[in-house]
Amino acid sequence: MQKRNWLQKLADETDFSSEPLPGVPIVELAGERRVLIERHAGMTEYSRERITVKVSYGFVCVCGCALELTRMTREQLVITGRIDCVQLQRKGR
């Protein structure tokens, strides 16, 4: 935990702040039809209206309509459908 805080502080104070830190999940929204989540830890909820994905610091919840998991590997997870909301839920908050 302290290592991540140190890395985050370093990234914030340098030009590297736009680059993701090692081990930190990446969530990429492409329009309203596709979400890519890298460095995930699996799904905890799956329905056509809501998909919840575990990440190192909590959960990423994708809400919408006709949601579908179109690709899932160890490193990447791709959700397609009509995306209405992407929400981060941190652990302990």
Side-chain angles (χ1 to χ4, degrees), residues 25 37 39-44 52-56 58-60 91:
I37 301 173
R39 302 175 188 152
H40 67 89
M43 289 185 305
T44 60
T52 303
V53 179
K54 186 170 178 21
V55 294
S56 61
F59 300 92
V60 174
K91 291 178 189 175

Side-chain angles (χ1 to χ4, degrees), residues 59-79:
F59 300 92
V60 174
C61 299
V62 179
C63 299
C65 185
L67 298 179
E68 191 175 331
L69 180 65
T70 55
R71 182 174 60 219
M72 183 173 175
T73 66
R74 258 188 201 160
E75 293 295 317
Q76 288 188 341
L77 186 141
V78 177
I79 299 167

Side-chain angles (χ1 to χ4, degrees), residues 29-49:
L29 177 63
E32 61 180 25
R33 305 291 298 166
R34 181 178 174 270
V35 175
L36 167 69
I37 301 173
E38 294 183 352
R39 302 175 188 152
H40 67 89
M43 289 185 305
T44 60
E45 182 180 359
Y46 184 92
S47 73
R48 301 284 285 166
E49 292 80 33

